[in-house]
Amino acid sequence: MVGPFGGNTAAVLLHAAQEHPERLGEPVALTVNFAGPVADGDFTVTARPMRTNRSTQHWSIELSQDGVVATTATAVFAVRRDTWAADEAVMPRVPAANEVPATAMPPFIKWADNYEFRWVVGGIPQPPADGEAPVESDDSTTTMWVRDMPPRPLDFAALTGICDSFYPRAFLRRGTALPAGTVTFTVYFHADAEALAGQGSEPVLGTARAKAFGKGYFDQVAEIWGADGRLLATSHQLVYFKA
Amino acid sequence: MVGPFGGNTAAVLLHAAQEHPERLGEPVALTVNFAGPVADGDFTVTARPMRTNRSTQHWSIELSQDGVVATTATAVFAVRRDTWAADEAVMPRVPAANEVPATAMPPFIKWADNYEFRWVVGGIPQPPADGEAPVESDDSTTTMWVRDMPPRPLDFAALTGICDSFYPRAFLRRGTALPAGTVTFTVYFHADAEALAGQGSEPVLGTARAKAFGKGYFDQVAEIWGADGRLLATSHQLVYFKA
């Protein structure tokens, strides 16, 4: 939470595959593993198509600095075709984005300046006053309207970053900031490029929660919804923490 | 569903990292990408530690046949330490395993012979009688007691297979079998080796559902619970389908 933003690293790796001359179709899945910190400075991204089938393509992607691997990733691209379709998950019932005030993250979270957050439930806990105990919660759910700042049209890279823009769920449960960092992060893209473009630069609705915390790790399950009620992406991550 | 069982392939890839002489700690996350079919015959698994930190280790794993990549994977291993812990997800309220009859899968699903399934809700749809329409469902949830057959003590490899032992969610929604195959599959291990060993060879409770179907793909979100109410693993996958 105090280093470089993993969602941005993930977006850079995905984009490397998207821009590769052998790329087939568009992203349907991305998994990024944060193996080590990315330092300020030059980095090299290598995207390799591992296998290309008739309508799917599997990628292996790596980010390294000075010959040391910092991030690994795999991605699945596909040519998507119309089929039977249904959203089974239900969008949370929330006020419209313009009815929810935008709230800044604490200033130590630098990357958050690239987003506008409108928390519906589960905003980031405020530091307890001197001598006060943190206010714990038994529910790790955050639901928020979110968009890039400055606003830009939604695409796969932007949506990838948004999937990782929830502050760590352990902060909410424990009522305080604590050491935490994502070790692996997955996005499933339910929307295709056309559906994403249709979202423009309006806020999207994100909701995230954890299912289990223990022995140094917790998970996060997230959904990102368009303002029009379409499920754009689902995302999962496993996060290291100390508490 | 008619080829080799992806859960087994995933378990083999995980096991290759576990048995590697440089392995650190135990698995906390695994992502497997099914790039192409695995044919009957010899195969080569290559497991490479990409980066080893003080308490975490990142792996890249590949399965190839005749020099062609069939499966890629990444895994995160870690030395786990005691921390604050909480299961936030709630185990489904179900009858005990011995109160639910074991039901065989249709015989065309060969790999299912390696499991004992006791469906609580969402058993596999029966083929419609001649001239009858399939019985569709608006809920893709399957909840089941499941264990290896013949029974064997639970470990990371067995749990990986169990995470992939749900038949495709589209079968349940559409009321019929249809072409479907997992393209990417992720497991987060919430239990450590000691907790898994404590489960012995008793059935575990699995529950799975999809959030979205469309344009040739659907997702699956699954939880695997011990009979003692511990959340052992959560799992996600993206599945190709035709309908």
Side-chain angles (χ1 to χ4, degrees):
Chain A
M1 285 294 283
V2 294
F5 173 48
N8 187 57
T9 304
V12 167
L13 268 58
L14 179 68
H15 193 68
Q18 285 186 282
E19 295 296 298
H20 194 288
E22 293 173 38
R23 189 258 305 162
L24 174 79
E26 51 190 64
V28 296
L30 172 70
T31 292
V32 180
N33 306 288
F34 301 98
V38 178
D40 278 340
D42 293 343
F43 57 86
T44 302
V45 176
T46 308
R48 287 177 299 155
M50 300 297 286
R51 180 159 173 155
T52 302
N53 301 311
R54 199 160 45 89
S55 67
T56 61
Q57 188 174 53
H58 285 260
W59 290 85
S60 181
I61 316 167
E62 258 179 51
L63 186 154
S64 60
Q65 286 189 304
D66 294 326
V68 178
V69 172
T71 320
T72 68
T74 59
V76 185
F77 281 58
V79 178
R80 302 192 75 154
R81 296 191 177 88
D82 279 334
T83 56
W84 173 78
D87 276 356
E88 186 167 322
V90 176
M91 186 178 181
R93 295 183 65 164
V94 297
N98 62 13
E99 295 168 14
V100 182
T103 309
M105 286 264 209
F108 75 93
I109 307 175
K110 282 287 167 213
W111 59 260
D113 294 344
N114 297 313
Y115 289 101
E116 175 193 85
F117 296 107
R118 298 171 184 268
W119 281 308
V120 179
V121 297
I124 195 165
Q126 294 304 306
D130 279 353
E132 301 276 317
V135 180
E136 300 196 0
S137 168
D138 57 7
D139 184 340
S140 67
T141 303
T142 287
T143 301
M144 63 187 189
W145 290 104
V146 56
R147 64 170 161 177
D148 281 26
M149 191 52 56
R152 62 190 285 276
L154 194 65
D155 59 14
F156 291 107
L159 182 54
T160 297
I162 285 171
C163 284
D164 193 37
S165 71
F166 300 88
Y167 68 86
R169 303 297 86 207
F171 290 17
L172 185 49
R173 285 295 303 262
R174 305 294 288 164
T176 186
L178 45 80
T182 302
V183 294
T184 182
F185 167 62
T186 290
V187 181
Y188 296 156
F189 298 103
H190 300 293
D192 62 10
E194 188 183 341
L196 293 190
Q199 299 294 325
S201 58
E202 292 305 299
V204 295
L205 186 75
T207 186
R209 67 173 299 193
K211 291 186 175 178
F213 303 79
K215 295 229 169 193
Y217 291 86
F218 66 87
D219 68 322
Q220 177 182 290
V221 180
E223 300 165 1
I224 308 294
W225 297 84
D228 56 357
R230 298 177 72 139
L231 184 56
L232 304 176
T234 49
S235 175
H236 314 98
Q237 60 179 266
L238 195 71
V239 183
Y240 165 84
F241 78 107
K242 269 190 185 172
Chain B
M1 282 294 285
V2 295
F5 173 48
N8 186 59
T9 305
V12 167
L13 268 60
L14 179 67
H15 194 67
Q18 284 185 282
E19 294 296 299
H20 194 288
E22 292 172 38
R23 187 256 306 161
L24 174 80
E26 51 189 67
V28 297
L30 172 71
T31 292
V32 180
N33 305 288
F34 301 98
V38 178
D40 279 340
D42 292 344
F43 57 85
T44 302
V45 176
T46 308
R48 286 177 298 155
M50 302 296 286
R51 181 160 174 155
T52 302
N53 301 311
R54 201 160 44 93
S55 68
T56 61
Q57 187 175 53
H58 285 259
W59 290 84
S60 180
I61 316 169
E62 260 179 50
L63 185 154
S64 60
Q65 286 188 304
D66 295 327
V68 178
V69 172
T71 320
T72 67
T74 58
V76 185
F77 281 57
V79 178
R80 302 191 76 154
R81 296 193 177 88
D82 279 334
T83 56
W84 174 78
D87 277 355
E88 185 167 321
V90 177
M91 187 181 183
R93 295 184 64 162
V94 296
N98 61 11
E99 295 168 13
V100 182
T103 307
M105 285 265 209
F108 75 92
I109 306 176
K110 282 288 168 210
W111 59 259
D113 295 345
N114 297 313
Y115 290 100
E116 176 193 85
F117 296 106
R118 299 171 184 269
W119 280 309
V120 179
V121 298
I124 196 166
Q126 293 305 305
D130 279 353
E132 301 276 318
V135 180
E136 299 195 0
S137 169
D138 58 6
D139 184 342
S140 68
T141 304
T142 287
T143 301
M144 64 187 187
W145 289 103
V146 56
R147 64 169 160 177
D148 279 24
M149 189 52 57
R152 62 190 285 276
L154 193 66
D155 59 13
F156 290 108
L159 182 55
T160 297
I162 286 171
C163 283
D164 193 36
S165 72
F166 300 88
Y167 67 86
R169 304 297 84 208
F171 289 17
L172 186 50
R173 286 294 304 260
R174 304 294 288 163
T176 186
L178 45 79
T182 302
V183 295
T184 183
F185 167 62
T186 290
V187 182
Y188 297 157
F189 299 103
H190 300 293
D192 61 11
E194 187 183 342
L196 294 189
Q199 298 294 322
S201 58
E202 293 304 301
V204 295
L205 186 76
T207 187
R209 67 173 299 194
K211 292 185 175 178
F213 302 79
K215 297 235 168 185
Y217 291 86
F218 66 86
D219 67 322
Q220 177 183 290
V221 180
E223 299 164 3
I224 308 294
W225 296 84
D228 56 357
R230 297 177 74 138
L231 185 56
L232 304 176
T234 50
S235 175
H236 314 99
Q237 60 179 269
L238 194 71
V239 183
Y240 165 83
F241 79 109
K242 268 190 184 172

